[in-house]
Amino acid sequence: MARVPSAVIAASGLVGGYGVARWTKKRPLGGAVLAVAGAAAAQQWRKQAGNATAGALTAAYVGAFAGSHPLAKKIGAWPSVLGVAGAVALASWAVADRKA
Protein backbone atom coordinates (compact mmCIF):
# COMPACT_ATOMS: atom_id res chain seq x y z
CA MET A 1 0.00 0.00 0.00
CA ALA A 2 1.34 3.43 -0.94
CA ARG A 3 2.31 5.72 1.90
CA VAL A 4 0.66 9.15 2.09
CA PRO A 5 3.39 11.79 2.42
CA SER A 6 3.54 13.45 5.83
CA ALA A 7 3.32 16.84 4.11
CA VAL A 8 -0.13 15.89 2.80
CA ILE A 9 -1.24 14.59 6.20
CA ALA A 10 -0.12 17.76 8.00
CA ALA A 11 -1.68 20.15 5.47
CA SER A 12 -4.89 18.10 5.46
CA GLY A 13 -5.05 18.27 9.24
CA LEU A 14 -4.83 22.05 9.28
CA VAL A 15 -7.27 22.59 6.42
CA GLY A 16 -9.57 19.75 7.44
CA GLY A 17 -9.63 20.77 11.08
CA TYR A 18 -10.64 24.30 10.18
CA GLY A 19 -13.19 23.11 7.62
CA VAL A 20 -14.83 20.66 10.02
CA ALA A 21 -14.98 23.26 12.81
CA ARG A 22 -16.47 25.86 10.48
CA TRP A 23 -19.04 23.66 8.74
CA THR A 24 -20.23 21.76 11.81
CA LYS A 25 -19.94 24.77 14.12
CA LYS A 26 -18.31 22.40 16.61
CA ARG A 27 -14.79 23.58 17.36
CA PRO A 28 -13.90 20.48 19.42
CA LEU A 29 -14.66 18.29 16.41
CA GLY A 30 -12.31 20.40 14.28
CA GLY A 31 -9.73 20.14 17.03
CA ALA A 32 -10.04 16.36 16.96
CA VAL A 33 -9.34 16.32 13.22
CA LEU A 34 -6.36 18.61 13.77
CA ALA A 35 -5.01 16.41 16.59
CA VAL A 36 -5.43 13.07 14.80
CA ALA A 37 -3.72 14.34 11.66
CA GLY A 38 -0.97 15.96 13.73
CA ALA A 39 -0.32 12.72 15.59
CA ALA A 40 -0.24 10.73 12.34
CA ALA A 41 2.16 13.23 10.76
CA ALA A 42 4.37 13.25 13.87
CA GLN A 43 4.61 9.47 13.84
CA GLN A 44 5.70 9.53 10.23
CA TRP A 45 8.17 12.38 10.84
CA ARG A 46 9.74 10.36 13.66
CA LYS A 47 10.14 7.29 11.44
CA GLN A 48 11.51 9.26 8.50
CA ALA A 49 13.70 11.88 10.15
CA GLY A 50 14.14 11.10 13.85
CA ASN A 51 12.88 12.46 17.13
CA ALA A 52 14.45 15.92 16.98
CA THR A 53 13.08 16.67 13.52
CA ALA A 54 9.69 15.27 14.49
CA GLY A 55 9.65 17.57 17.51
CA ALA A 56 10.54 20.59 15.40
CA LEU A 57 7.91 19.80 12.78
CA THR A 58 5.30 19.17 15.46
CA ALA A 59 6.12 22.56 16.96
CA ALA A 60 5.77 24.11 13.50
CA TYR A 61 2.37 22.39 13.09
CA VAL A 62 1.09 23.70 16.43
CA GLY A 63 2.63 27.11 15.74
CA ALA A 64 0.94 27.25 12.35
CA PHE A 65 -2.41 26.50 13.96
CA ALA A 66 -1.89 29.22 16.57
CA GLY A 67 -0.46 31.69 14.07
CA SER A 68 -3.32 31.26 11.65
CA HIS A 69 -5.68 33.00 14.06
CA PRO A 70 -4.04 36.46 14.14
CA LEU A 71 -3.14 36.12 10.46
CA ALA A 72 -6.82 35.50 9.66
CA LYS A 73 -7.68 38.93 11.05
CA LYS A 74 -5.38 40.49 8.45
CA ILE A 75 -5.98 38.38 5.34
CA GLY A 76 -9.12 36.31 6.03
CA ALA A 77 -9.71 32.87 7.45
CA TRP A 78 -9.32 30.63 4.41
CA PRO A 79 -6.25 32.42 3.01
CA SER A 80 -4.65 32.18 6.44
CA VAL A 81 -5.38 28.48 6.87
CA LEU A 82 -4.23 27.66 3.34
CA GLY A 83 -1.06 29.73 3.80
CA VAL A 84 0.02 28.10 7.04
CA ALA A 85 -0.92 24.64 5.74
CA GLY A 86 1.26 25.25 2.69
CA ALA A 87 4.15 26.41 4.86
CA VAL A 88 3.95 23.32 7.09
CA ALA A 89 3.64 21.05 4.06
CA LEU A 90 6.71 22.63 2.47
CA ALA A 91 8.73 22.27 5.67
CA SER A 92 7.60 18.67 6.08
CA TRP A 93 8.51 17.79 2.52
CA ALA A 94 11.89 19.54 2.78
CA VAL A 95 13.07 17.82 5.94
CA ALA A 96 11.22 14.49 5.99
CA ASP A 97 9.41 13.45 2.80
CA ARG A 98 12.10 14.43 0.32
CA LYS A 99 14.54 11.99 1.90
CA ALA A 100 12.08 9.07 1.93
Side-chain angles (χ1 to χ4, degrees):
M1 183 171 192
R3 179 184 61 82
V4 177
S6 60
V8 172
I9 296 169
S12 296
L14 289 161
V15 173
Y18 174 69
V20 166
R22 181 174 177 136
W23 289 316
T24 65
K25 297 186 180 5
K26 296 185 185 324
R27 292 178 73 176
L29 190 55
V33 171
L34 180 80
V36 168
Q43 181 179 1
Q44 220 166 299
W45 290 329
R46 192 175 339 98
K47 287 180 184 175
Q48 290 174 228
N51 289 332
T53 300
L57 286 170
T58 299
Y61 184 81
V62 172
F65 167 70
S68 69
H69 291 82
L71 183 60
K73 292 179 181 180
K74 296 183 187 308
I75 66 172
W78 277 113
S80 173
V81 169
L82 295 174
V84 300
V88 168
L90 182 61
S92 178
W93 175 80
V95 300
D97 293 334
R98 183 173 54 141
K99 297 175 184 176

